[in-house]
Amino acid sequence: MKDRLEALKVEAIEKINQSHDLKDIQAVKVAYLGKKGPITEVLKGMGKLSAEERPVIGAYANEVRDSIQLELDKKQTELENAAISEKLAKETIDVSLPGRPVKQGNAHPLTAVVTEIEDLFLSMGFTIAEGPEVETDYYNFEALNLPKGHPARDMQDSFFITEDILLRTQTSPVQARTMEKHEGQGPVKIISPGKVYRRDNDDATHSHQFMQIEGLVVDQNVRLSDLKGVLETFAKKMFGEDRKIRLRPSFFPFTEPSVEMDISCFKCSGKGCSICKQTGWIEILGAGMVHPNVLEMAGFDSKKYTGFAFGMGPERIAMLKYGIDDIRHFYANDIRFLKQFKNA
Ligand code: 2NL
């Protein structure tokens, strides 16, 4: 009986050593140590043994069972460790590999310039005002000292929706609406950026839709020198600290007096080049002192209050700044054009 147990032990250990996975191990366990296995069978036949033999064989059977179990456990641990090692080797991650770059877009050049101008005026204490792009004749023309019959409100130049409603041709109606809300009380200090519309045939310098940024300051004792100071600060911050400015007399129906502002050429510093058309100066914007009629129509006492206003075209500013030769580039959505302003 002892020989039989010894043989079973050798056989079981050999099978364990030949096991390749946990399933094999489980099979050996069931085959040798299970309820219907040969060791159980041997133990069942112990009744036939003598009183001296029984404890010896019993102890030996237990010893065989324990050593088979020990081998099973050893092999199982060995297989589990091998599986972990294999997995670790196969799934090695090279933590020194550079990451995949995230493709970053950029602001539209016009958006970038508008934001820059906005930030600049915000830093000078202005707030941003917005208003409707579909306007009434009153706010777009009448309130800006452009009465019916005025040549600047020619039907040919504006997109009329009805006789009384049109797409705004400038952002001034926003200023007129803002002044009205102040009910004759200063100060008003706003800029109004936004889209405007004109019935133009599109070409390199004209677009039927474009942007405008206007500014308006209304308070007591506002003078032309205040306008000059604000615009000079703007010119220097936008085009370089060594810019000079000059104001030339001009005409707008909503300002009196009216001026146009030039800056000294940032490309040639005044010597003359293609950007400044050999003059050394570049026209940047129009401005003036708010016409008393405009103040009165918006509810301000023009004997007590004065104001200055200015208007500029961000497309023109962006074209100058980045050397863009055609206004239509801003609205063509050509990715090859837009991608050039990544670091703008
Ligand atoms: C230009 C000139 C200008 C204004 C806009 C304005 C608005 C109000 C009252 C008075 Cl509510 N003026 N705006 C004044 C002067 C010039 O724009 O060349 N823009 C591109």
Side-chain angles (χ1 to χ4, degrees), residues 143-144 170 172-176 179 198 210 212-216 252 254-255 258-260 283-291 294 308-313:
L144 295 161
Q170 48 202 3
S172 326
V174 179
Q175 333 256 61
M179 278 193 285
R198 302 257 172 103
F210 57 103
Q212 205 183 22
I213 299 180
E214 286 193 44
L216 172 74
F252 300 109
F254 24 85
T255 46
S258 302
V259 296
E260 267 165 306
E283 187 188 321
I284 288 296
L285 52 78
M289 298 307 290
V290 180
H291 197 291
V294 174
F308 68 75
F310 55 88
M312 68 183 99

PDB file of all heavy atoms in Angstrom, residues 143-144 170 172-176 179 198 210 212-216 252 254-255 258-260 283-291 294 308-313, ligand 1:
ATOM      1  N   ALA A 143     -30.774 110.411 -36.009  1.00  0.00           N
ATOM      2  CA  ALA A 143     -30.177 110.789 -34.718  1.00  0.00           C
ATOM      3  C   ALA A 143     -28.711 111.193 -34.870  1.00  0.00           C
ATOM      4  O   ALA A 143     -28.090 111.693 -33.925  1.00  0.00           O
ATOM      5  CB  ALA A 143     -30.300 109.633 -33.723  1.00  0.00           C
ATOM      6  N   LEU A 144     -28.131 110.960 -36.056  1.00  0.00           N
ATOM      7  CA  LEU A 144     -26.724 111.289 -36.273  1.00  0.00           C
ATOM      8  C   LEU A 144     -26.585 112.507 -37.189  1.00  0.00           C
ATOM      9  O   LEU A 144     -25.568 112.687 -37.854  1.00  0.00           O
ATOM     10  CB  LEU A 144     -25.994 110.076 -36.857  1.00  0.00           C
ATOM     11  CG  LEU A 144     -25.951 108.905 -35.866  1.00  0.00           C
ATOM     12  CD1 LEU A 144     -25.667 107.606 -36.577  1.00  0.00           C
ATOM     13  CD2 LEU A 144     -24.923 109.171 -34.774  1.00  0.00           C
ATOM     14  N   GLN A 170     -23.066 101.889 -40.126  1.00  0.00           N
ATOM     15  CA  GLN A 170     -21.977 102.258 -39.201  1.00  0.00           C
ATOM     16  C   GLN A 170     -22.412 101.788 -37.812  1.00  0.00           C
ATOM     17  O   GLN A 170     -23.566 101.387 -37.641  1.00  0.00           O
ATOM     18  CB  GLN A 170     -21.772 103.777 -39.214  1.00  0.00           C
ATOM     19  CG  GLN A 170     -23.082 104.523 -39.073  1.00  0.00           C
ATOM     20  CD  GLN A 170     -23.023 105.959 -39.593  1.00  0.00           C
ATOM     21  OE1 GLN A 170     -22.010 106.378 -40.117  1.00  0.00           O
ATOM     22  NE2 GLN A 170     -24.096 106.698 -39.420  1.00  0.00           N
ATOM     23  N   SER A 172     -22.427 103.822 -35.248  1.00  0.00           N
ATOM     24  CA  SER A 172     -22.903 105.016 -34.515  1.00  0.00           C
ATOM     25  C   SER A 172     -24.287 104.855 -33.881  1.00  0.00           C
ATOM     26  O   SER A 172     -24.515 105.417 -32.806  1.00  0.00           O
ATOM     27  CB  SER A 172     -22.929 106.241 -35.428  1.00  0.00           C
ATOM     28  OG  SER A 172     -21.902 106.194 -36.357  1.00  0.00           O
ATOM     29  N   PRO A 173     -25.243 104.139 -34.506  1.00  0.00           N
ATOM     30  CA  PRO A 173     -26.544 103.982 -33.845  1.00  0.00           C
ATOM     31  C   PRO A 173     -26.426 103.374 -32.448  1.00  0.00           C
ATOM     32  O   PRO A 173     -27.253 103.676 -31.574  1.00  0.00           O
ATOM     33  CB  PRO A 173     -27.338 103.065 -34.787  1.00  0.00           C
ATOM     34  CG  PRO A 173     -26.371 102.539 -35.778  1.00  0.00           C
ATOM     35  CD  PRO A 173     -25.284 103.551 -35.870  1.00  0.00           C
ATOM     36  N   VAL A 174     -25.400 102.548 -32.214  1.00  0.00           N
ATOM     37  CA  VAL A 174     -25.176 102.007 -30.863  1.00  0.00           C
ATOM     38  C   VAL A 174     -24.870 103.162 -29.895  1.00  0.00           C
ATOM     39  O   VAL A 174     -25.376 103.199 -28.770  1.00  0.00           O
ATOM     40  CB  VAL A 174     -24.013 100.981 -30.854  1.00  0.00           C
ATOM     41  CG1 VAL A 174     -23.788 100.443 -29.444  1.00  0.00           C
ATOM     42  CG2 VAL A 174     -24.279  99.852 -31.834  1.00  0.00           C
ATOM     43  N   GLN A 175     -24.050 104.101 -30.373  1.00  0.00           N
ATOM     44  CA  GLN A 175     -23.701 105.252 -29.521  1.00  0.00           C
ATOM     45  C   GLN A 175     -24.916 106.121 -29.256  1.00  0.00           C
ATOM     46  O   GLN A 175     -25.108 106.602 -28.139  1.00  0.00           O
ATOM     47  CB  GLN A 175     -22.626 106.119 -30.193  1.00  0.00           C
ATOM     48  CG  GLN A 175     -21.723 105.384 -31.165  1.00  0.00           C
ATOM     49  CD  GLN A 175     -20.379 105.117 -30.595  1.00  0.00           C
ATOM     50  OE1 GLN A 175     -20.278 104.424 -29.594  1.00  0.00           O
ATOM     51  NE2 GLN A 175     -19.362 105.648 -31.199  1.00  0.00           N
ATOM     52  N   ALA A 176     -25.734 106.322 -30.310  1.00  0.00           N
ATOM     53  CA  ALA A 176     -26.944 107.143 -30.153  1.00  0.00           C
ATOM     54  C   ALA A 176     -27.882 106.501 -29.130  1.00  0.00           C
ATOM     55  O   ALA A 176     -28.428 107.177 -28.252  1.00  0.00           O
ATOM     56  CB  ALA A 176     -27.642 107.295 -31.499  1.00  0.00           C
ATOM     57  N   MET A 179     -26.345 106.889 -25.568  1.00  0.00           N
ATOM     58  CA  MET A 179     -26.510 108.260 -25.045  1.00  0.00           C
ATOM     59  C   MET A 179     -27.943 108.473 -24.563  1.00  0.00           C
ATOM     60  O   MET A 179     -28.167 109.027 -23.477  1.00  0.00           O
ATOM     61  CB  MET A 179     -26.184 109.282 -26.143  1.00  0.00           C
ATOM     62  CG  MET A 179     -24.703 109.546 -26.303  1.00  0.00           C
ATOM     63  SD  MET A 179     -24.373 111.007 -27.320  1.00  0.00           S
ATOM     64  CE  MET A 179     -24.723 110.380 -28.941  1.00  0.00           C
ATOM     65  N   ARG A 198     -22.699  97.899 -46.320  1.00  0.00           N
ATOM     66  CA  ARG A 198     -22.841  98.938 -47.357  1.00  0.00           C
ATOM     67  C   ARG A 198     -23.060  98.257 -48.699  1.00  0.00           C
ATOM     68  O   ARG A 198     -22.461  97.205 -48.966  1.00  0.00           O
ATOM     69  CB  ARG A 198     -21.567  99.802 -47.456  1.00  0.00           C
ATOM     70  CG  ARG A 198     -21.180 100.500 -46.176  1.00  0.00           C
ATOM     71  CD  ARG A 198     -21.531 101.973 -46.160  1.00  0.00           C
ATOM     72  NE  ARG A 198     -21.292 102.525 -44.808  1.00  0.00           N
ATOM     73  CZ  ARG A 198     -20.240 103.273 -44.475  1.00  0.00           C
ATOM     74  NH1 ARG A 198     -19.359 103.589 -45.388  1.00  0.00           N
ATOM     75  NH2 ARG A 198     -20.099 103.727 -43.243  1.00  0.00           N
ATOM     76  N   PHE A 210     -18.405  94.647 -43.390  1.00  0.00           N
ATOM     77  CA  PHE A 210     -17.084  94.852 -42.785  1.00  0.00           C
ATOM     78  C   PHE A 210     -17.264  95.245 -41.327  1.00  0.00           C
ATOM     79  O   PHE A 210     -18.384  95.227 -40.819  1.00  0.00           O
ATOM     80  CB  PHE A 210     -16.278  95.892 -43.583  1.00  0.00           C
ATOM     81  CG  PHE A 210     -16.934  97.241 -43.728  1.00  0.00           C
ATOM     82  CD1 PHE A 210     -16.527  98.314 -42.963  1.00  0.00           C
ATOM     83  CD2 PHE A 210     -17.971  97.436 -44.643  1.00  0.00           C
ATOM     84  CE1 PHE A 210     -17.128  99.566 -43.095  1.00  0.00           C
ATOM     85  CE2 PHE A 210     -18.583  98.688 -44.778  1.00  0.00           C
ATOM     86  CZ  PHE A 210     -18.158  99.749 -44.011  1.00  0.00           C
ATOM     87  N   GLN A 212     -16.512  97.837 -37.892  1.00  0.00           N
ATOM     88  CA  GLN A 212     -16.192  99.188 -37.483  1.00  0.00           C
ATOM     89  C   GLN A 212     -16.037  99.218 -35.966  1.00  0.00           C
ATOM     90  O   GLN A 212     -16.686  98.445 -35.256  1.00  0.00           O
ATOM     91  CB  GLN A 212     -17.319 100.129 -37.914  1.00  0.00           C
ATOM     92  CG  GLN A 212     -16.835 101.552 -38.087  1.00  0.00           C
ATOM     93  CD  GLN A 212     -17.941 102.530 -38.456  1.00  0.00           C
ATOM     94  OE1 GLN A 212     -19.108 102.278 -38.208  1.00  0.00           O
ATOM     95  NE2 GLN A 212     -17.555 103.649 -39.026  1.00  0.00           N
ATOM     96  N   ILE A 213     -15.118 100.057 -35.506  1.00  0.00           N
ATOM     97  CA  ILE A 213     -15.047 100.314 -34.063  1.00  0.00           C
ATOM     98  C   ILE A 213     -15.159 101.827 -33.897  1.00  0.00           C
ATOM     99  O   ILE A 213     -14.347 102.582 -34.433  1.00  0.00           O
ATOM    100  CB  ILE A 213     -13.731  99.812 -33.435  1.00  0.00           C
ATOM    101  CG1 ILE A 213     -13.600  98.303 -33.605  1.00  0.00           C
ATOM    102  CG2 ILE A 213     -13.682 100.186 -31.949  1.00  0.00           C
ATOM    103  CD1 ILE A 213     -12.333  97.712 -33.011  1.00  0.00           C
ATOM    104  N   GLU A 214     -16.215 102.237 -33.219  1.00  0.00           N
ATOM    105  CA  GLU A 214     -16.372 103.660 -32.940  1.00  0.00           C
ATOM    106  C   GLU A 214     -16.174 103.888 -31.453  1.00  0.00           C
ATOM    107  O   GLU A 214     -16.362 102.977 -30.638  1.00  0.00           O
ATOM    108  CB  GLU A 214     -17.761 104.144 -33.356  1.00  0.00           C
ATOM    109  CG  GLU A 214     -17.903 104.261 -34.860  1.00  0.00           C
ATOM    110  CD  GLU A 214     -19.151 105.019 -35.285  1.00  0.00           C
ATOM    111  OE1 GLU A 214     -19.450 106.078 -34.693  1.00  0.00           O
ATOM    112  OE2 GLU A 214     -19.820 104.541 -36.197  1.00  0.00           O
ATOM    113  N   GLY A 215     -15.797 105.093 -31.108  1.00  0.00           N
ATOM    114  CA  GLY A 215     -15.648 105.456 -29.711  1.00  0.00           C
ATOM    115  C   GLY A 215     -16.396 106.750 -29.435  1.00  0.00           C
ATOM    116  O   GLY A 215     -16.557 107.574 -30.346  1.00  0.00           O
ATOM    117  N   LEU A 216     -16.862 106.905 -28.209  1.00  0.00           N
ATOM    118  CA  LEU A 216     -17.616 108.113 -27.847  1.00  0.00           C
ATOM    119  C   LEU A 216     -17.356 108.465 -26.382  1.00  0.00           C
ATOM    120  O   LEU A 216     -17.424 107.598 -25.510  1.00  0.00           O
ATOM    121  CB  LEU A 216     -19.116 107.859 -28.053  1.00  0.00           C
ATOM    122  CG  LEU A 216     -20.077 108.943 -27.543  1.00  0.00           C
ATOM    123  CD1 LEU A 216     -20.049 110.164 -28.467  1.00  0.00           C
ATOM    124  CD2 LEU A 216     -21.498 108.396 -27.449  1.00  0.00           C
ATOM    125  N   PHE A 252     -17.554 115.255 -41.256  1.00  0.00           N
ATOM    126  CA  PHE A 252     -18.566 114.218 -41.025  1.00  0.00           C
ATOM    127  C   PHE A 252     -19.825 114.935 -40.570  1.00  0.00           C
ATOM    128  O   PHE A 252     -19.726 115.939 -39.839  1.00  0.00           O
ATOM    129  CB  PHE A 252     -18.106 113.216 -39.947  1.00  0.00           C
ATOM    130  CG  PHE A 252     -16.830 112.498 -40.283  1.00  0.00           C
ATOM    131  CD1 PHE A 252     -15.653 112.792 -39.588  1.00  0.00           C
ATOM    132  CD2 PHE A 252     -16.796 111.536 -41.288  1.00  0.00           C
ATOM    133  CE1 PHE A 252     -14.463 112.143 -39.894  1.00  0.00           C
ATOM    134  CE2 PHE A 252     -15.606 110.895 -41.596  1.00  0.00           C
ATOM    135  CZ  PHE A 252     -14.442 111.192 -40.905  1.00  0.00           C
ATOM    136  N   PHE A 254     -21.892 114.136 -38.346  1.00  0.00           N
ATOM    137  CA  PHE A 254     -22.182 113.984 -36.916  1.00  0.00           C
ATOM    138  C   PHE A 254     -21.143 114.603 -35.996  1.00  0.00           C
ATOM    139  O   PHE A 254     -21.259 114.524 -34.779  1.00  0.00           O
ATOM    140  CB  PHE A 254     -22.380 112.498 -36.566  1.00  0.00           C
ATOM    141  CG  PHE A 254     -21.690 111.549 -37.527  1.00  0.00           C
ATOM    142  CD1 PHE A 254     -20.355 111.217 -37.367  1.00  0.00           C
ATOM    143  CD2 PHE A 254     -22.397 111.013 -38.605  1.00  0.00           C
ATOM    144  CE1 PHE A 254     -19.733 110.347 -38.253  1.00  0.00           C
ATOM    145  CE2 PHE A 254     -21.768 110.146 -39.510  1.00  0.00           C
ATOM    146  CZ  PHE A 254     -20.435 109.806 -39.337  1.00  0.00           C
ATOM    147  N   THR A 255     -20.094 115.191 -36.561  1.00  0.00           N
ATOM    148  CA  THR A 255     -19.082 115.865 -35.730  1.00  0.00           C
ATOM    149  C   THR A 255     -18.772 117.257 -36.278  1.00  0.00           C
ATOM    150  O   THR A 255     -18.852 117.504 -37.479  1.00  0.00           O
ATOM    151  CB  THR A 255     -17.767 115.045 -35.684  1.00  0.00           C
ATOM    152  OG1 THR A 255     -17.422 114.630 -37.005  1.00  0.00           O
ATOM    153  CG2 THR A 255     -17.894 113.832 -34.774  1.00  0.00           C
ATOM    154  N   SER A 258     -14.531 118.281 -37.513  1.00  0.00           N
ATOM    155  CA  SER A 258     -14.179 116.897 -37.835  1.00  0.00           C
ATOM    156  C   SER A 258     -12.716 116.825 -38.266  1.00  0.00           C
ATOM    157  O   SER A 258     -12.193 117.788 -38.835  1.00  0.00           O
ATOM    158  CB  SER A 258     -15.057 116.383 -38.978  1.00  0.00           C
ATOM    159  OG  SER A 258     -16.429 116.473 -38.642  1.00  0.00           O
ATOM    160  N   VAL A 259     -12.097 115.706 -37.960  1.00  0.00           N
ATOM    161  CA  VAL A 259     -10.677 115.540 -38.325  1.00  0.00           C
ATOM    162  C   VAL A 259     -10.436 114.127 -38.861  1.00  0.00           C
ATOM    163  O   VAL A 259     -11.244 113.217 -38.644  1.00  0.00           O
ATOM    164  CB  VAL A 259      -9.743 115.759 -37.103  1.00  0.00           C
ATOM    165  CG1 VAL A 259      -9.827 117.193 -36.595  1.00  0.00           C
ATOM    166  CG2 VAL A 259     -10.049 114.762 -35.992  1.00  0.00           C
ATOM    167  N   GLU A 260      -9.321 113.989 -39.563  1.00  0.00           N
ATOM    168  CA  GLU A 260      -8.823 112.656 -39.876  1.00  0.00           C
ATOM    169  C   GLU A 260      -7.448 112.532 -39.254  1.00  0.00           C
ATOM    170  O   GLU A 260      -6.689 113.517 -39.235  1.00  0.00           O
ATOM    171  CB  GLU A 260      -8.780 112.441 -41.391  1.00  0.00           C
ATOM    172  CG  GLU A 260     -10.064 111.789 -41.881  1.00  0.00           C
ATOM    173  CD  GLU A 260     -10.255 111.874 -43.370  1.00  0.00           C
ATOM    174  OE1 GLU A 260     -10.214 112.973 -43.918  1.00  0.00           O
ATOM    175  OE2 GLU A 260     -10.440 110.804 -43.972  1.00  0.00           O
ATOM    176  N   GLU A 283      -3.195 107.167 -43.084  1.00  0.00           N
ATOM    177  CA  GLU A 283      -4.494 107.549 -42.518  1.00  0.00           C
ATOM    178  C   GLU A 283      -5.074 106.370 -41.752  1.00  0.00           C
ATOM    179  O   GLU A 283      -5.124 105.245 -42.247  1.00  0.00           O
ATOM    180  CB  GLU A 283      -5.455 107.954 -43.640  1.00  0.00           C
ATOM    181  CG  GLU A 283      -6.741 108.525 -43.095  1.00  0.00           C
ATOM    182  CD  GLU A 283      -7.782 108.749 -44.197  1.00  0.00           C
ATOM    183  OE1 GLU A 283      -7.399 109.181 -45.300  1.00  0.00           O
ATOM    184  OE2 GLU A 283      -8.962 108.467 -43.936  1.00  0.00           O
ATOM    185  N   ILE A 284      -5.481 106.622 -40.504  1.00  0.00           N
ATOM    186  CA  ILE A 284      -5.919 105.554 -39.611  1.00  0.00           C
ATOM    187  C   ILE A 284      -7.395 105.637 -39.256  1.00  0.00           C
ATOM    188  O   ILE A 284      -8.082 104.626 -39.169  1.00  0.00           O
ATOM    189  CB  ILE A 284      -5.058 105.573 -38.304  1.00  0.00           C
ATOM    190  CG1 ILE A 284      -3.648 105.085 -38.622  1.00  0.00           C
ATOM    191  CG2 ILE A 284      -5.663 104.755 -37.201  1.00  0.00           C
ATOM    192  CD1 ILE A 284      -3.583 103.645 -39.073  1.00  0.00           C
ATOM    193  N   LEU A 285      -7.881 106.854 -39.011  1.00  0.00           N
ATOM    194  CA  LEU A 285      -9.279 106.968 -38.560  1.00  0.00           C
ATOM    195  C   LEU A 285      -9.830 108.375 -38.740  1.00  0.00           C
ATOM    196  O   LEU A 285      -9.097 109.323 -39.041  1.00  0.00           O
ATOM    197  CB  LEU A 285      -9.399 106.544 -37.086  1.00  0.00           C
ATOM    198  CG  LEU A 285      -8.485 107.168 -36.045  1.00  0.00           C
ATOM    199  CD1 LEU A 285      -8.948 108.580 -35.654  1.00  0.00           C
ATOM    200  CD2 LEU A 285      -8.471 106.308 -34.787  1.00  0.00           C
ATOM    201  N   GLY A 286     -11.172 108.479 -38.581  1.00  0.00           N
ATOM    202  CA  GLY A 286     -11.850 109.768 -38.601  1.00  0.00           C
ATOM    203  C   GLY A 286     -12.424 110.048 -37.223  1.00  0.00           C
ATOM    204  O   GLY A 286     -12.724 109.127 -36.472  1.00  0.00           O
ATOM    205  N   ALA A 287     -12.534 111.327 -36.890  1.00  0.00           N
ATOM    206  CA  ALA A 287     -12.984 111.688 -35.538  1.00  0.00           C
ATOM    207  C   ALA A 287     -13.504 113.121 -35.522  1.00  0.00           C
ATOM    208  O   ALA A 287     -13.523 113.805 -36.552  1.00  0.00           O
ATOM    209  CB  ALA A 287     -11.831 111.528 -34.556  1.00  0.00           C
ATOM    210  N   GLY A 288     -13.891 113.564 -34.344  1.00  0.00           N
ATOM    211  CA  GLY A 288     -14.331 114.949 -34.210  1.00  0.00           C
ATOM    212  C   GLY A 288     -15.066 115.181 -32.909  1.00  0.00           C
ATOM    213  O   GLY A 288     -15.232 114.273 -32.098  1.00  0.00           O
ATOM    214  N   MET A 289     -15.509 116.446 -32.735  1.00  0.00           N
ATOM    215  CA  MET A 289     -16.328 116.783 -31.565  1.00  0.00           C
ATOM    216  C   MET A 289     -17.790 116.531 -31.934  1.00  0.00           C
ATOM    217  O   MET A 289     -18.241 116.958 -33.001  1.00  0.00           O
ATOM    218  CB  MET A 289     -16.120 118.254 -31.184  1.00  0.00           C
ATOM    219  CG  MET A 289     -14.677 118.602 -30.782  1.00  0.00           C
ATOM    220  SD  MET A 289     -14.008 117.533 -29.478  1.00  0.00           S
ATOM    221  CE  MET A 289     -14.968 118.086 -28.076  1.00  0.00           C
ATOM    222  N   VAL A 290     -18.486 115.803 -31.061  1.00  0.00           N
ATOM    223  CA  VAL A 290     -19.870 115.421 -31.353  1.00  0.00           C
ATOM    224  C   VAL A 290     -20.698 116.671 -31.680  1.00  0.00           C
ATOM    225  O   VAL A 290     -20.664 117.672 -30.940  1.00  0.00           O
ATOM    226  CB  VAL A 290     -20.491 114.660 -30.153  1.00  0.00           C
ATOM    227  CG1 VAL A 290     -21.938 114.262 -30.470  1.00  0.00           C
ATOM    228  CG2 VAL A 290     -19.663 113.422 -29.818  1.00  0.00           C
ATOM    229  N   HIS A 291     -21.415 116.611 -32.800  1.00  0.00           N
ATOM    230  CA  HIS A 291     -22.233 117.748 -33.256  1.00  0.00           C
ATOM    231  C   HIS A 291     -23.303 118.050 -32.205  1.00  0.00           C
ATOM    232  O   HIS A 291     -23.949 117.132 -31.683  1.00  0.00           O
ATOM    233  CB  HIS A 291     -22.886 117.391 -34.600  1.00  0.00           C
ATOM    234  CG  HIS A 291     -23.396 118.584 -35.335  1.00  0.00           C
ATOM    235  ND1 HIS A 291     -24.477 119.325 -34.903  1.00  0.00           N
ATOM    236  CD2 HIS A 291     -22.964 119.184 -36.486  1.00  0.00           C
ATOM    237  CE1 HIS A 291     -24.697 120.317 -35.761  1.00  0.00           C
ATOM    238  NE2 HIS A 291     -23.781 120.253 -36.720  1.00  0.00           N
ATOM    239  N   VAL A 294     -26.533 116.237 -32.499  1.00  0.00           N
ATOM    240  CA  VAL A 294     -26.516 114.817 -32.104  1.00  0.00           C
ATOM    241  C   VAL A 294     -26.696 114.697 -30.587  1.00  0.00           C
ATOM    242  O   VAL A 294     -27.469 113.861 -30.110  1.00  0.00           O
ATOM    243  CB  VAL A 294     -25.199 114.138 -32.568  1.00  0.00           C
ATOM    244  CG1 VAL A 294     -25.090 112.720 -32.037  1.00  0.00           C
ATOM    245  CG2 VAL A 294     -25.101 114.150 -34.097  1.00  0.00           C
ATOM    246  N   PHE A 308     -16.428 113.884 -27.667  1.00  0.00           N
ATOM    247  CA  PHE A 308     -15.693 113.564 -28.897  1.00  0.00           C
ATOM    248  C   PHE A 308     -16.037 112.150 -29.334  1.00  0.00           C
ATOM    249  O   PHE A 308     -16.498 111.334 -28.523  1.00  0.00           O
ATOM    250  CB  PHE A 308     -14.184 113.765 -28.757  1.00  0.00           C
ATOM    251  CG  PHE A 308     -13.459 112.802 -27.832  1.00  0.00           C
ATOM    252  CD1 PHE A 308     -13.198 111.490 -28.218  1.00  0.00           C
ATOM    253  CD2 PHE A 308     -12.988 113.240 -26.585  1.00  0.00           C
ATOM    254  CE1 PHE A 308     -12.504 110.617 -27.380  1.00  0.00           C
ATOM    255  CE2 PHE A 308     -12.298 112.375 -25.741  1.00  0.00           C
ATOM    256  CZ  PHE A 308     -12.063 111.059 -26.136  1.00  0.00           C
ATOM    257  N   ALA A 309     -15.861 111.900 -30.623  1.00  0.00           N
ATOM    258  CA  ALA A 309     -16.156 110.574 -31.173  1.00  0.00           C
ATOM    259  C   ALA A 309     -15.132 110.259 -32.252  1.00  0.00           C
ATOM    260  O   ALA A 309     -14.496 111.160 -32.805  1.00  0.00           O
ATOM    261  CB  ALA A 309     -17.568 110.535 -31.755  1.00  0.00           C
ATOM    262  N   PHE A 310     -14.945 108.976 -32.479  1.00  0.00           N
ATOM    263  CA  PHE A 310     -14.033 108.549 -33.553  1.00  0.00           C
ATOM    264  C   PHE A 310     -14.528 107.239 -34.136  1.00  0.00           C
ATOM    265  O   PHE A 310     -15.342 106.537 -33.516  1.00  0.00           O
ATOM    266  CB  PHE A 310     -12.594 108.398 -33.038  1.00  0.00           C
ATOM    267  CG  PHE A 310     -12.467 107.459 -31.856  1.00  0.00           C
ATOM    268  CD1 PHE A 310     -12.284 106.087 -32.044  1.00  0.00           C
ATOM    269  CD2 PHE A 310     -12.509 107.955 -30.550  1.00  0.00           C
ATOM    270  CE1 PHE A 310     -12.159 105.236 -30.946  1.00  0.00           C
ATOM    271  CE2 PHE A 310     -12.393 107.105 -29.456  1.00  0.00           C
ATOM    272  CZ  PHE A 310     -12.223 105.742 -29.650  1.00  0.00           C
ATOM    273  N   GLY A 311     -14.084 106.961 -35.331  1.00  0.00           N
ATOM    274  CA  GLY A 311     -14.472 105.693 -35.970  1.00  0.00           C
ATOM    275  C   GLY A 311     -13.334 105.169 -36.801  1.00  0.00           C
ATOM    276  O   GLY A 311     -12.612 105.928 -37.456  1.00  0.00           O
ATOM    277  N   MET A 312     -13.133 103.848 -36.720  1.00  0.00           N
ATOM    278  CA  MET A 312     -12.045 103.241 -37.514  1.00  0.00           C
ATOM    279  C   MET A 312     -12.480 101.896 -38.071  1.00  0.00           C
ATOM    280  O   MET A 312     -13.444 101.294 -37.586  1.00  0.00           O
ATOM    281  CB  MET A 312     -10.784 103.090 -36.670  1.00  0.00           C
ATOM    282  CG  MET A 312     -10.917 102.062 -35.557  1.00  0.00           C
ATOM    283  SD  MET A 312      -9.442 101.995 -34.541  1.00  0.00           S
ATOM    284  CE  MET A 312      -9.921 102.999 -33.156  1.00  0.00           C
ATOM    285  N   GLY A 313     -11.774 101.459 -39.101  1.00  0.00           N
ATOM    286  CA  GLY A 313     -12.063 100.166 -39.723  1.00  0.00           C
ATOM    287  C   GLY A 313     -11.004  99.156 -39.342  1.00  0.00           C
ATOM    288  O   GLY A 313      -9.851  99.266 -39.757  1.00  0.00           O
TER     289      GLY A 313
HETATM  290  C1  2NL B   1     -14.541 106.893 -40.052  1.00  0.00           C
HETATM  291  C2  2NL B   1     -15.165 107.992 -39.297  1.00  0.00           C
HETATM  292  C3  2NL B   1     -16.425 108.513 -37.399  1.00  0.00           C
HETATM  293  C4  2NL B   1     -17.931 109.063 -35.634  1.00  0.00           C
HETATM  294  C5  2NL B   1     -17.429 108.162 -36.536  1.00  0.00           C
HETATM  295  C6  2NL B   1     -19.804 109.421 -34.123  1.00  0.00           C
HETATM  296  C7  2NL B   1     -20.819 108.823 -33.427  1.00  0.00           C
HETATM  297  C8  2NL B   1     -21.678 109.596 -32.714  1.00  0.00           C
HETATM  298  C9  2NL B   1     -21.546 110.923 -32.693  1.00  0.00           C
HETATM  299  C10 2NL B   1     -20.517 111.478 -33.391  1.00  0.00           C
HETATM  300 CL1  2NL B   1     -22.972 108.909 -31.884  1.00  0.00          CL
HETATM  301  N1  2NL B   1     -19.671 110.736 -34.090  1.00  0.00           N
HETATM  302  N2  2NL B   1     -18.936 108.655 -34.815  1.00  0.00           N
HETATM  303  C11 2NL B   1     -17.381 110.341 -35.592  1.00  0.00           C
HETATM  304  C12 2NL B   1     -16.385 110.684 -36.468  1.00  0.00           C
HETATM  305  C13 2NL B   1     -15.883 109.790 -37.380  1.00  0.00           C
HETATM  306  O1  2NL B   1     -15.968 107.560 -38.262  1.00  0.00           O
HETATM  307  O2  2NL B   1     -13.765 107.152 -40.926  1.00  0.00           O
HETATM  308  N3  2NL B   1     -14.856 105.655 -39.743  1.00  0.00           N
HETATM  309  C14 2NL B   1     -14.305 104.541 -40.399  1.00  0.00           C
END
